[in-house]
Amino acid sequence: MAAAVLLLAAAAPAYASGGADKGPVGVGVIGEGLKVKEVRATLNGWYPGARAETFLVRGGKRVQTVGSWKATESVEYGGHKFEIIAWPVNKSYRHGDRICSRFEHRSERPCVTIQR
């Protein structure tokens, strides 16, 4: 799953770009500096219409929604089936902020830390 998230997110090695997964749930962030351009959430497996959201965690607490609840698109790539959804963001965040994703009916919540 990590390879799929990094491939989909085209993650650069620095700043606001990166990816993380927790079990079958993943989050990918695309950006420059501290500015996030897009956030993507993925779910390994075939769950058409699965719903996801992304949110900002600061100081260990959820402080705002980054991408509201939205249904995923089913994708198959290299023989792997997964669900994906993307939100355009175009917003700057603080060093140390965390952007997390979650899916309905799942307990996993992976996060990416925004860093200088």
Side-chain angles (χ1 to χ4, degrees):
M1 183 60 195
V5 170
L6 291 177
L7 174 66
L8 290 169
Y15 306 119
S17 291
D21 19 62
K22 212 172 229 186
V25 176
V27 63
V29 175
I30 300 169
E32 292 179 3
L34 298 177
K35 184 174 184 176
V36 173
K37 294 180 180 180
E38 182 176 271
V39 177
R40 297 177 184 181
T42 59
L43 177 60
N44 207 11
W46 211 248
Y47 305 94
R51 290 173 32 92
E53 73 165 342
T54 59
F55 53 94
L56 177 66
V57 173
R58 184 177 288 150
K61 296 181 182 178
R62 180 181 172 144
V63 294
Q64 79 182 97
T65 299
V66 174
S68 59
W69 289 103
K70 213 167 154 181
T72 60
E73 176 184 346
S74 300
V75 177
E76 185 171 359
Y77 185 80
H80 291 70
K81 295 179 180 180
F82 56 95
E83 301 295 319
I84 186 167
I85 188 68
W87 296 266
V89 177
N90 293 317
K91 184 176 176 186
S92 292
Y93 292 94
R94 297 179 191 170
H95 172 76
D97 280 353
R98 298 175 55 126
I99 296 181
C100 308
S101 70
R102 76 178 187 122
F103 281 80
E104 285 182 326
H105 312 295
R106 305 284 324 182
S107 61
E108 303 91 350
R109 287 171 174 71
C111 299
V112 173
T113 302
I114 306 302
Q115 299 181 30
R116 284 186 203 140

